[in-house]
Amino acid sequence: MKFHEYSQEMLPELEEEILFSIENDIPDSYPDLKNMMRYHFGWDENTGGKSSQGKRIRPLLVLLSSMVCGCEWRKAIPGAVSIELIHNFSLIHDDIEDQSSLRRGRETLWKVFGMAQALNTGDAMFSLAQLNMLKLGNKINKSVGFDAIHLLNDTCLTLTGGQNLDIAFETRDIVSEDEYFVMIGGKTAALLSASCELGAIIAQSSNVNRLALHSFGEALGLAFQAWDDWLGIWGDEQLTGKSTSSDLISRKKTLPILYAIQKSNAFEEKFLNETIDEANINEFIRIIEDTGAKEYTEKIAKYYSNLAEKSVKSIQAVNVESHKALIELSGQLLNRKN
């Protein structure tokens, strides 16, 4: 089977289980809390729709990774639900911390329901993630449940650590490239690597496979973020749905911008001290390109893409078809236009 065939089979059951958890694990005495979660997930009957629901990449990685290691994917659904809940918990808090008013073309949770309620909803989602991961202990065995919940919480510390650095970088003039990679290693790569490693834990696979899947997810996340930074300046706005000037105007310290600062004192001075707006954005982009930042960012994305490919191919696959689908998915993520 190809990846899209697996996803068509998996996604309806995954979506059903996320909704089931919200409806059944949250007491009926808190209907507004359930409504806020339904809104965030794009299930609101007035403003929802497929485009507002996300791609569910992380839980699909859990399910495919478990299959690769020989597990029937439905056994891994509680873990996949947990990972998706943690991802969305982080998005709710991220939108508040960044004061973002839109996500996937809709008003963010805090803009609709207020900051206090959005924070509370994110906290409840974090707790739901814990409960779903614990369900693996009953579905498989207690050892799997323990290892899974340990991985989840260790990952959450790394995830919030990355967010801590990202927020801190906003008030700093200079950030080193090494610091940038530590930040994206937490903010982006940690949950992707956990999603893949979790599949090996659920399947009770070998340490070799667990390490290979962790390394695959980590490299996938680093490549994904480097390419996302590239798209943030040179992507097609019609495909990305994001302005190619927003990263520069907000002075976001992405990889190409950090490289340009490192290579050009003139750009550093201009970036730190001059107004950046639509009137002069092309001049800034031209200077960035003159430093070789565009090619450098492509090179970094390619480096980690190759590392991800090497890691995924080192897995001792039990299910060959799902292994091919996992490789196909990684190729789609690393060659995307949006």
Side-chain angles (χ1 to χ4, degrees):
M1 289 174 66
K2 292 186 177 294
F3 166 69
H4 81 273
E5 294 173 311
Y6 278 115
S7 64
Q8 285 179 340
E9 181 181 12
M10 293 170 171
L11 283 174
E13 292 192 38
L14 174 67
E15 209 76 4
E16 183 179 322
E17 287 299 318
I18 297 171
L19 180 58
F20 180 87
S21 180
I22 290 170
E23 294 296 338
N24 291 274
D25 292 330
I26 298 174
D28 289 337
S29 48
Y30 310 124
D32 288 346
L33 186 59
K34 296 182 183 186
N35 288 336
M36 290 177 200
M37 288 198 186
R38 282 194 292 264
Y39 174 84
H40 173 77
F41 274 105
W43 298 324
D44 181 271
E45 61 182 17
N46 297 317
T47 61
K50 288 292 184 183
S51 63
S52 63
Q53 292 174 9
K55 299 174 182 176
R56 309 287 189 253
I57 294 301
R58 291 156 190 82
L60 285 172
L61 283 170
V62 175
L63 300 178
L64 280 173
S65 295
S66 68
M67 278 192 77
V68 168
C69 295
C71 181
E72 204 283 313
W73 65 266
R74 288 179 177 85
K75 290 183 179 180
I77 282 182
V81 169
S82 177
I83 288 292
E84 185 64 9
L85 288 167
I86 283 293
H87 175 54
N88 281 275
F89 142 76
S90 72
L91 296 182
I92 290 171
H93 282 220
D94 194 39
D95 287 339
I96 294 168
E97 290 158 354
D98 291 345
Q99 295 289 285
S100 299
S101 59
L102 293 174
R103 179 173 290 281
R104 300 171 187 144
R106 301 159 70 237
E107 283 192 302
T108 48
L109 192 69
W110 75 271
K111 286 294 289 184
V112 176
F113 297 100
M115 192 176 296
Q117 289 287 18
L119 280 170
N120 189 60
T121 302
D123 292 343
M125 203 170 283
F126 179 87
S127 297
L128 276 186
Q130 302 284 334
L131 289 172
N132 277 278
M133 199 65 88
L134 286 168
K135 290 174 185 177
L136 289 171
N138 295 325
K139 201 173 186 73
I140 303 175
N141 62 52
K142 301 299 182 186
S143 178
V144 166
F146 177 84
D147 286 349
I149 204 74
H150 186 278
L151 174 68
L152 180 71
N153 284 281
D154 194 43
T155 301
C156 286
L157 282 175
T158 307
L159 183 68
T160 52
Q163 180 70 351
N164 166 267
L165 291 176
D166 194 30
I167 295 169
F169 290 172
E170 292 174 5
T171 59
R172 288 175 49 185
D173 288 344
I174 302 299
V175 173
S176 72
E177 195 171 304
D178 286 344
E179 290 175 312
Y180 163 88
F181 278 108
V182 172
M183 183 271 288
I184 67 168
K187 187 177 170 76
T188 304
L191 196 55
L192 285 167
S193 63
S195 300
C196 297
E197 183 179 353
L198 181 60
I201 291 173
I202 293 169
Q204 301 176 78
S205 191
S206 65
N207 286 332
V208 170
N209 274 354
R210 184 169 171 175
L211 179 60
L213 280 161
H214 176 93
S215 298
F216 163 64
E218 183 176 47
L220 187 69
L222 295 172
F224 183 95
Q225 187 59 57
W227 188 241
D228 200 59
D229 287 356
W230 188 96
L231 290 171
I233 296 177
W234 296 287
D236 184 335
E237 292 184 0
Q238 296 298 316
L239 296 175
T240 64
K242 174 186 173 183
S243 167
T244 53
S245 60
S246 61
D247 283 353
L248 269 167
I249 290 174
S250 63
R251 299 179 196 274
K252 188 174 181 180
K253 297 174 181 68
T254 64
L255 183 58
I257 290 172
L258 291 178
Y259 184 84
I261 288 173
Q262 176 188 336
K263 291 296 181 180
S264 170
N265 291 333
F267 176 77
E268 178 183 349
E269 180 72 19
K270 194 175 183 68
F271 179 76
L272 295 178
N273 298 306
E274 291 189 18
T275 299
I276 308 175
D277 54 31
E278 294 293 347
N280 63 3
I281 195 72
N282 288 331
E283 181 184 356
F284 273 88
I285 292 174
R286 179 187 58 76
I287 298 172
I288 290 172
E289 290 174 350
D290 287 345
T291 67
K294 184 177 183 181
E295 293 79 9
Y296 178 75
T297 306
E298 291 171 355
K299 178 182 175 182
I300 292 296
K302 184 64 176 176
Y303 170 80
Y304 284 110
S305 295
N306 290 338
L307 193 60
E309 183 179 356
K310 182 179 179 181
S311 296
V312 75
K313 287 183 177 178
S314 72
I315 298 167
Q316 298 169 352
V318 176
N319 186 310
V320 176
E321 288 302 309
S322 61
H323 190 214
K324 291 177 181 177
L326 191 63
I327 294 171
E328 182 185 347
L329 171 58
S330 66
Q332 290 179 12
L333 291 175
L334 299 173
N335 294 287
R336 73 196 193 285
K337 303 298 182 183
N338 59 19

